[in-house]
Structure formats: structure tokens, C-alpha cells
Amino acid sequence: MEGAKTTRSSIAEVVTESNSSPSSSNSSASIHNNDRERYPPPAARVVTNRSCVVPWSKRRGMFGQLALVPEIEDARDYGMLIKYLITILVAAAGSTAPMASTILIPALSEVSASLHSTQVKANLSVSLYMLSMAIFPLWWSSISERKGRRTVYITSFSLFTVFTICCAISTNISMLIVFRVASGAAASSVQAVGAGSVADIWQVSERGKAMGWFYLGPLCGPLLGPILGGILTQGFGWKGTQWFLTIFGLVLLLGMLFCLPETLRTQDRPKDGHVELPDLNDDELSTEDGTMEPPGLQLTASRVSRRTLKRSKHWIKTAKIILVDPLKSLLYLRFPPVLLTVIYAGVTFATLYMLNISLQIAYSGDPYYYSPLVVGLLFIPNSLGYITASVAGGRWSDSIMRRAATKRRAAAGGDESTPLEYRPEDRMGVNAWIAAITVPSTLICYGWIVKQGYHWAAPLPFTLIFGFGSMLALGMAMTMLTEFVPGRASSAVAVNNFVRNIFACIGGTLTEPITDAIGSGWLFTILGILASVSLGVIWAMHRYGPKWRAELHKYSFM
């Protein structure tokens, strides 16, 4: 196709029905000719390449015709404005689940008193929420790679809005816990599908920057949650937090309905196994002894048998997609680069949550005794570290990757006309070494400063540096996971979320009892030593990465 071979043209040069060249009359361009639909310039100008706009009647995804942004054949050909719009919308949606996991923390005492329960049961509304965030992305990612991203977003946020309303009107602790788990399961869709959406629309060389913007949502969510939770609880009680989440989810749902087109490319959808049914003729239908049945009875038996086979095949296929296929995502852990990256991200994410809980424990008790609102505000240094690393870290990762590819091309004797070879492990440059040094060292310093009960401001510079270093590591790991297994970004990221949220759930549950037993100094010293495993991951990726990727064909994932 000549259109595919042309260089990127200006926005005004986008192919429409009126200006398509004769050589472009292939299957892509014929969509317009067959349906005879003409798109106005505003619809076509969202595209920066000769990628055809999908006709209104053929748009995919739930309520796809309502989207104001038109669907195109290859989402990587959207203009920069549309790409940023989709990325920011998905990032905002990605903040929902983590923010909802922590927004109730300042209100747990009020929850237990209001619902005539105990503090232990109230804590379950947080820990079980984290567990649902770990498990259900496996299912959402599997569905998204078959039915598309848009369908998953709209379905999950419709459910999230309903379940959060049920949380707000809960009359007992059991009802609150059940609907909190359900709302966490619904909102967790973006934890896996969001990274897939970013991979759908951005080229590999630009993806680190985009992933940094996207990851602002999932990482700032748990930091903004306690701040918003303290303010809302003080002004409106614990139910105010749930009504806020309801409104937030509804606004996002409306944004997805009207601004989020389907971005999954058709060729990236997994192929389901097909079972052929026997094609029996009337002459072939006979009994075991070779005698023919009467024609009427024979045809009836044939139709019943074929209907039964068809129905059984349908239910077996549906059960496989619902129950088995999502769990196949865990097979990605057999691939060494994915396993090492997931462990690296999981340990870093667990230390993040343990640091957050430690902050609350430290500043709520002796010698500070601060109110929930003040404790929430003390999370601001973490947030600044995350935001800085998210904005700068992704772009930095892209430049490191590009430099490594350029250097490799020069070493091979290529010139500027030789295409660059981008390798996922190239993202682990000086940024990875900075993260590997700052995360363990700041954890250890923070732990011993808090244990000694120094001035309230003393630990905060270390939490800021920790936020910067951990975000460098997490953003880099997330981007690499979308590149190790091309076309299966959502499933790879879902596995990452599965592991890291389980780590975070266990770590968050154990932080307080371990702190009481050995103190924050020794706890964070141990965590610092565990975080040092990243040094080994960096070495292994650069040493064995090319070999592992060359053996990708040996692994059966889907």
C-alpha cells in the first residue's frame, strides 16, 4: 500500500474519500467507498498519517458511536493532541483505584464507631480492597485484548459508580466491606488496561515519556487519597469520601463515553481456537448396523445432534475465556525479563506502601500526635518526588534508550540511514543506577530518623528523594513490560499488578506489627537491603537481555 510507505504528512494531508489516491484503493480505503461515508475535516484532522478513519457505523467498543473522537485503523497515527487527551484521561482513571484504597484510611476510626464495629474489621475494608486490585486486572486485561479497551473502561466504571454508591449507603460493616471489594475489582481495570492503551497509541521511541504521564495517576492516587480523606472526613464524615469517589467515577465515565475511542489494533487481538463440527450429509447418517433411518427421524436427529454440539462448543469456549484464559497471563512469569522486572517493581511498590503506613503511624502517635488532616498533608513531599520523576523520568528514559540504540548502530558500522534497534533493557541506564542507590539509602535513613523521634521535618527530605527514586524505577519497569511482549501489554502489566499489589497488601498488613516488634529503624534497614536486589536486576538485564528476547518464541503465553 503506497499510503503505508509515505512519510508522515501534515494534518491537512490526511486521506479522506475525496482526496484518496487511486493506488490507495485497498481494503483500508475501501471502507469509505463501500459505505460511502464522507467525514468532515474536523474528524479527519485528528490523524497525522494516511490512516483511514473508521466509518461511524463500524466503530468498535461499547457505545462506540457516541465517541466524539473518531476511531482510526492504527491508533499510533493520532495527532499529538488526541494522544495526550487519551493519555491524560486514562491516567486520571488510573488514579481511581489507588486513591480509593487510601482515601478511607483517615476515617477508619469513624467507620468503626459509625457502623458499630471494631477497628480490625474496619481495616479489612482497606486490605481486602488491595487484594481485589491484585486479582481482577487479570480478567480485565484478558477481556480487553478480545473485546477492546473501550468496552472494559465503560463497563468497569459503570460498575464502580454503582458499587461506590452502595458503599456510601452501607448500614453495617459487612455491607461496606463487600461493596468496597467490588468497587476495587471494578476500578482495577485501568491498572492493567491503561498501560495497554498507552502502548496502543505511542511509538516505542516516545513511550517512556507517555508512560510517565500515565503513571502519574496510579502513583499519585494513593498519595492524594489520605489528604482528600482527611479533608472530606473532617467536613462531611466518612461517607463523604465515598460520595466524592462516586462523583469522580461518574465524571470519568462520561469522559470515556465521549472522548475515548477504541485503540486496540485488530491484528493484536488473540486468536481463539476453532473447533470444526463434522459436516454430515443425509446419505452419511446411518445406524451402526448399516441400515438407514427413516428420512424424517434421520434429519431430526441430525439437527438435534448438531445443535447440541454447537451449544456445547459455545459454553466450553465461554468457560475457557472466563475462567482459564485470564490465568494464562501468569505464564508470562516464565519469561525471565518479565519475572525480574515484576519482582523489581513489586519490591519497590511494597516499600512505597509500607512507607506510607509508617508515616501515618509515626505522625499519629508519640511524640507528634498530629490530626488526620495534618498527617495527610505530610504526604506532600512524596507526591512532589513522584510528580517530578513522572514528568522528567519518562522523557529521560526515552533519551537513554535512543542514545543506546544510536551507539549500537555506530558500533555496527551503520550510518544515519540505518534504522535504530530499540531494546527494552536499554531503558536501564544511569536512571536505573540512581534509583538503585537512592531507594535503599533513603529507606534506611528514614527508618532510623523516625525511630529517634527527631523534628517532624527531618524525615521529609528523605521521603521526597525516595518518591523520586521509586518513581524512576516503577515508571521504567512499567514501560519495559509493555515492550518485552509486543501486542500483549495489558496482560504483562496485569501480571505486574497482581504481584505488586499482593506484595503491597502483605507489606501493608505487616508494617504495624513489625514496627511494634523491632522498630522502624530495623524494619526499613531490612527493606533497604531487599530493595538492593535492583542492582542485580540491572546487571542481568544488560548481560542476558538480548539472549532472552531471542528465545521469546520458546515461551507459549496465550
Side-chain angles (χ1 to χ4, degrees), residues 135 137-143 145-146 270-273 316-317 319-335 338 485 488 490-496 498 555-558:
I135 297 172
L138 296 174
W139 273 261
W140 289 123
S141 66
S142 177
I143 295 171
E145 289 176 353
R146 284 176 169 80
K271 304 296 188 295
D272 295 320
I316 290 173
K317 181 178 177 181
K320 174 179 176 291
I321 292 174
I322 293 175
L323 300 176
V324 178
D325 287 356
L327 297 177
K328 281 187 175 181
S329 299
L330 297 177
L331 293 176
Y332 284 96
L333 294 175
R334 297 168 53 206
F335 189 40
V338 172
V485 280
R488 295 291 180 269
S490 289
S491 292
V493 174
V495 173
N496 178 55
F498 178 79
Y555 299 90
S556 176
F557 297 125
M558 298 298 289

Side-chain angles (χ1 to χ4, degrees), residues 309-322:
L309 284 172
K310 186 176 181 180
R311 192 171 297 135
S312 299
K313 174 192 170 186
H314 170 75
W315 285 111
I316 290 173
K317 181 178 177 181
T318 301
K320 174 179 176 291
I321 292 174
I322 293 175

Side-chain angles (χ1 to χ4, degrees), residues 1-9 13 15 21 23-29 48-52 73-74 76-77 203 267:
M1 182 173 84
E2 287 186 14
K5 297 178 181 178
T6 57
T7 57
R8 290 189 177 274
S9 58
E13 293 175 321
V15 172
S21 62
S23 60
S24 304
S25 57
N26 46 42
S27 59
S28 300
T48 60
N49 201 2
R50 296 180 180 273
S51 183
C52 293
E73 288 184 321
D74 191 336
R76 291 172 296 187
D77 292 333
Q203 300 287 351
Q267 62 267 33

Side-chain angles (χ1 to χ4, degrees), residues 73-110:
E73 288 184 321
D74 191 336
R76 291 172 296 187
D77 292 333
Y78 276 121
M80 294 301 292
L81 180 63
I82 299 301
K83 287 184 178 182
Y84 276 115
L85 172 65
I86 295 174
T87 302
I88 292 171
L89 181 58
V90 173
S95 70
T96 307
M99 179 170 61
S101 71
T102 57
I103 199 170
L104 203 59
I105 290 177
L108 289 176
S109 299
E110 184 178 330

Side-chain angles (χ1 to χ4, degrees), residues 172-209:
N172 55 66
I173 192 65
S174 298
M175 181 178 177
L176 177 63
I177 291 173
V178 168
F179 284 109
R180 280 275 294 172
V181 171
S183 65
S188 68
S189 63
V190 195
Q191 302 298 295
V193 182
S197 296
V198 174
D200 290 341
I201 63 177
W202 293 92
Q203 300 287 351
V204 172
S205 59
E206 306 170 316
R207 199 171 293 166
K209 174 182 65 177

